[in-house]
Amino acid sequence: MHFTARFGWPVAAHAARAILLFGLAAGPAAAQAPDPARVQRGEYVFSAAGCLGCHTDKDGTPLAGGREIKTPFGSFYGPNITSHPTFGIGRWTEAQFRRALREGVRPDGAHYFPAFPYTSFTGITDADIADLWAYMRTVPPAARPNKPHGLGFPFNIRLAMIGWKALFFTPGEFKPDPGKSAELNRGAYLVNALGHCGECHTPRNLAGGLDRSKWLAGGVLPDGTAPNLTPHPETGLGKWSPGDFIDLLKMGMTPDGDFVGGEMAEVVKETTGKLTEDDIKAVIAYLRSLPSVENRVRKPKS
Amino acid sequence: MTKGLRFGLATAAFAAVVGTALIAEAQSPQIAARQDGMKQQGAQMRVLTPMMRGEQPYNMAAAKQAAGVLVASAKNIPGAFGPGTEGGNALPAIWTSKADFDSKAKALEDAAMRLAAANDEAAFKAAFPAVGAACGGCHQPYRKPQS
C-alpha cells in the first residue's frame, strides 16, 4: 500500500505534467488553426524571401538548418527554423518572429549577426510577416540541433552588433514612394525587402556594412562575385532586353545561353522562378530604373 | 637499403605528381572540347528562347533542328566528364556523384527529345521549360558560379 502510494504520486504528477506540456505545445496551434489562405500567401512570401537556402543544409531536411554561409568574418550556420519546440522556433510567438525580421533581435533579446539579412527583411510588411508566420507554423518539426557559428575573435562578440546596427542598420517597414508607380514600388519591395538581393549584389565596406551609394552595383563574395545589376551598359545589365531578364529570373539562363551555377541557380529555383508574372515584371521594371553605377566586379587576387 | 628505398619512394612520388600534372595538361583539350560543346548548347538556346519569348515567330524547322542538336549534345555529356578530366568550370562534385550527374544529362536528353517532337507552337511552348529546367538543374550543383 505504502509502495503504491509512494509510486502513485510521481506517476500522477508525470501524467499531469505531460498533460500540461502537451496542452502548452498544442495550445496555440489548437487555439487558432492556421487559415489556409493565409498559409498559402505565406508560402509565396517564404519563396520570395528565399528562406530555404540558408536554413537548409545541402541535401538536408528543409529548414532544419546547418548550411554554411561563408563570410570574411568566418562561417555562419543557418539555424533550424522548423516548428520543433526545442531545436526550431516552435515556441516562438508571432511578435517574436516579427521582431527577429524587423529588428534583428532574438526572443531572448540578443542581437543577430547580419548574416541573417534583417537589414533587408526589416522592410517586410506586417501583413506579409503575419502570412509568413502562418506558413512557418505548418513546417514539420525537425529535431536537429543548431551548429555554433565558426567566428574568430573579435567577430564572435554578439554585443558588438549593437554598434554595428547603429552604424549600418535602419529598421523599418518598406514605405512605397508615392512619386513612383505601383509596379516600381512592388519591384523595389521584392528586390530590397523580400528578395534581399542587395545582400550579395551590393558592395560591402570593411566592417561588412552595405555601401548604399553603390546599391546593387555588384559585390564580391568568398566564393565568387555577384554581378552589377544596375543599368550601366558596360559593367552592369544596361544591354539586357526585358526578355534577357525574364529568362534569367525564370530559368537561370544568361543572354549568351549559359545557365547560372551555384547560389544563383538555387535562387532561381527557389525564389525568382516561383514569382508570378506580374512580380517578375515588377522586379525587372525596378532593376531597369536603378541609377546606373559603373562598377566592374572583380574577385581580388588571393 | 632503407636510404635507397626512401629515395626510390620519393622519386616515385615525384614522378607521380609530375605525371599527374602532365596528364592534366595533356587532358586540357578535353576540357576545351566540352566547353565548346556547352557553348554549342548555349547557341541552340539562343535560337529557341526568342521563339519562346514571342520575339521571333515560331519556326518549326529551326526549333526541331536546335532541339535535335541538344539531344545529340546531351548524349555526349557523360563521356565528356570522364575520369581524370576534372577542371574548368566543372565542380569536383561531378566526379563524386557521377551517377546523379549522368542522370541529369539524361534528363536534358529526354526533355530535348520531347521538344524536338513538338509539331506546333503550343507543343513547343509546353515542352520548352523542361529543357531550361534541365540545364539549370545540372548547373546548380555542378557548375562553378560565373565570375
Side-chain angles (χ1 to χ4, degrees):
Chain A
M1 266 332 249
H2 180 67
F3 230 131
T4 354
R6 270 188 69 190
F7 269 92
W9 187 83
V11 168
H14 272 302
R17 204 178 302 154
I19 289 163
L20 187 68
L21 279 176
F22 181 77
L24 279 178
Q32 29 167 294
D35 167 10
R38 178 167 262 197
V39 171
Q40 204 180 354
R41 287 198 306 271
E43 187 173 5
Y44 186 76
V45 173
F46 173 84
S47 298
C51 314
L52 191 78
C54 291
H55 289 286
T56 307
D57 205 356
K58 308 246 175 192
D59 302 320
T61 310
L63 302 180
R67 173 78 63 96
E68 181 182 13
I69 300 147
K70 287 186 200 161
T71 77
F73 310 103
S75 281
F76 293 88
Y77 296 92
N80 184 335
I81 55 167
T82 69
S83 60
H84 195 282
T86 310
F87 301 112
I89 60 172
R91 288 209 182 107
W92 287 27
T93 65
E94 184 177 329
Q96 290 172 330
F97 183 65
R98 185 168 50 242
R99 191 168 176 224
L101 294 167
R102 181 74 44 79
E103 297 170 35
V105 175
R106 294 197 311 209
D108 66 1
H111 295 272
Y112 285 113
F113 292 108
F116 171 48
Y118 57 81
T119 33
S120 299
F121 290 163
T122 189
I124 304 178
T125 61
D126 282 351
D128 277 355
I129 292 176
D131 291 343
L132 179 58
W133 179 239
Y135 173 72
M136 294 309 297
R137 290 175 43 165
T138 69
V139 174
R144 185 188 197 282
N146 286 329
K147 188 170 178 181
H149 300 315
L151 302 174
F153 183 83
F155 306 119
N156 53 357
I157 305 173
R158 221 174 249 281
L159 209 58
M161 284 302 110
I162 296 174
W164 190 93
K165 281 168 126 174
L167 288 170
F168 305 119
F169 175 52
T170 318
E173 192 175 353
F174 173 83
K175 291 280 175 275
D177 178 346
K180 295 207 165 116
S181 70
E183 185 180 58
L184 281 176
N185 275 310
R186 176 68 181 165
Y189 177 68
L190 284 162
V191 168
N192 297 333
L194 288 175
H196 62 284
C197 308
E199 302 285 342
C200 289
H201 287 279
T202 297
R204 288 179 186 272
N205 58 32
L206 286 175
L210 294 169
D211 178 354
R212 288 172 192 274
S213 69
K214 291 185 180 159
W215 193 246
L216 297 172
V220 176
L221 309 170
D223 282 337
T225 55
N228 181 344
L229 305 182
T230 76
H232 191 268
E234 305 305 325
T235 64
L237 305 182
K239 289 177 179 158
W240 282 33
S241 72
D244 291 336
F245 280 94
I246 291 173
D247 284 344
L248 189 287
L249 294 169
K250 282 180 111 167
M251 61 178 180
M253 193 182 100
T254 56
D256 60 354
D258 194 358
F259 279 71
V260 292
E263 269 77 32
M264 193 59 203
E266 192 171 12
V267 171
V268 170
K269 184 174 167 227
E270 303 298 342
T271 300
T272 60
K274 291 183 175 176
L275 293 177
T276 63
E277 299 285 329
D278 283 349
D279 277 352
I280 291 230
K281 277 191 207 152
V283 166
I284 296 169
Y286 171 70
L287 292 178
R288 286 163 67 95
S289 79
L290 287 170
S292 169
V293 178
E294 180 172 4
N295 184 33
R296 194 174 295 281
V297 185
R298 277 203 198 89
K299 183 125 179 89
K301 281 175 192 148
S302 49
Chain B
M1 198 60 197
T2 333
K3 218 170 188 179
L5 183 64
R6 203 180 295 159
F7 178 72
L9 283 175
T11 315
F14 178 72
V17 169
V18 173
T20 311
L22 286 175
I23 290 165
E25 189 66 22
Q27 278 169 345
S28 68
Q30 275 178 282
I31 294 174
R34 75 184 176 219
Q35 288 182 343
D36 279 346
M38 287 289 162
K39 285 192 182 116
Q40 269 303 309
Q41 296 188 13
Q44 308 315 310
M45 294 305 282
R46 291 174 65 191
V47 171
L48 296 166
T49 45
M51 290 190 242
M52 184 66 199
R53 294 175 187 170
E55 290 170 358
Q56 270 176 31
Y58 170 68
N59 175 331
M60 190 174 78
K64 277 181 178 283
Q65 195 196 333
V69 173
L70 287 178
V71 173
S73 178
K75 283 185 202 288
N76 290 333
I77 291 175
F81 294 81
T85 65
E86 289 88 341
N89 293 318
L91 289 175
I94 291 175
W95 287 271
T96 55
S97 319
K98 192 61 169 45
D100 179 65
F101 175 79
D102 289 355
S103 77
K104 286 182 160 59
K106 183 75 169 70
L108 173 62
E109 184 188 329
D110 293 347
M113 192 83 89
R114 283 191 294 273
L115 186 65
N119 287 324
D120 59 53
E121 186 169 4
F124 166 80
K125 288 196 168 175
F128 181 82
V131 174
C135 298
C138 192
H139 277 209
Q140 184 189 341
Y142 298 124
R143 189 205 194 285
K144 277 187 191 166
Q146 282 83 346
S147 52

